[in-house]
Amino acid sequence: MNCPACGKELYDNGEERFRCPFCGAEVEGSGGAAEGEQEETLEQRCQRLERELARMKIKAEIEEQSATEHFWFRGGNWFSMLDRQAAREALERGDIESAKKHLASAEKSFNIGCLLYIALIIVILIVAAYSK
């Protein structure tokens, strides 16, 4: 069976209802009503759409950070790249809180990397000035 929210293929273990491990949407299993019999209530739909909106915002932030880092530092910061990848993997699992934590860590790593690059340039200029 497939998740109605994210479309990923799921294993149906016979439970009536369960949460999708990828997006967290409520899924009707084969143990419950037949497919199409029971419609989603407005409250359930709002909750599903809010979770999907949160996922999409985090995904956009990850890609924005990646584009910014690529623009400023062609090679990128290795630590922030690892944190962004961990955030992407957390989103795939449906763990939004973990993705937010990894995204914040990636931003800190990026800022530290910027400071290190600036410090390196200053040290090179000082060494060049005193070596004359």
Side-chain angles (χ1 to χ4, degrees):
M1 75 181 300
N2 291 330
C3 175
C6 65
K8 301 237 182 191
E9 189 171 344
L10 303 173
Y11 172 73
D12 182 8
N13 58 1
E15 292 181 25
E16 288 183 24
R17 302 179 130 233
F18 59 94
R19 293 210 177 268
C20 173
F22 300 105
C23 67
E26 191 77 22
V27 179
E28 289 286 330
S30 64
E35 191 173 331
E37 270 187 38
Q38 186 179 15
E39 289 190 24
E40 184 176 46
T41 65
L42 285 176
E43 184 178 332
Q44 291 171 335
R45 184 173 184 181
C46 286
Q47 289 174 350
R48 178 179 58 84
L49 292 174
E50 286 172 354
R51 284 191 302 270
E52 187 62 26
L53 178 64
R55 278 185 71 247
M56 297 307 287
K57 281 183 180 178
I58 292 174
K59 187 172 185 177
E61 287 178 26
I62 291 170
E63 298 310 319
E64 181 182 346
Q65 256 189 23
S66 181
T68 301
E69 185 168 325
H70 182 72
F71 177 76
W72 288 107
F73 305 106
R74 296 204 187 268
N77 181 335
W78 189 66
F79 295 108
S80 64
M81 281 190 254
L82 290 176
D83 283 326
R84 279 195 310 275
Q85 184 59 35
R88 286 184 185 107
E89 291 169 358
L91 275 183
E92 285 294 317
R93 290 191 315 266
D95 189 0
I96 293 175
E97 292 304 316
S98 178
K100 286 181 183 178
K101 289 177 185 175
H102 286 294
L103 190 59
S105 179
E107 189 170 347
K108 286 178 189 173
S109 297
F110 175 70
N111 291 338
I112 291 171
C114 289
L115 291 174
L116 289 176
Y117 285 131
I118 292 170
L120 179 66
I121 290 171
I122 291 172
V123 167
I124 290 173
L125 290 174
I126 290 172
V127 168
Y130 284 114
S131 66
K132 290 182 180 182

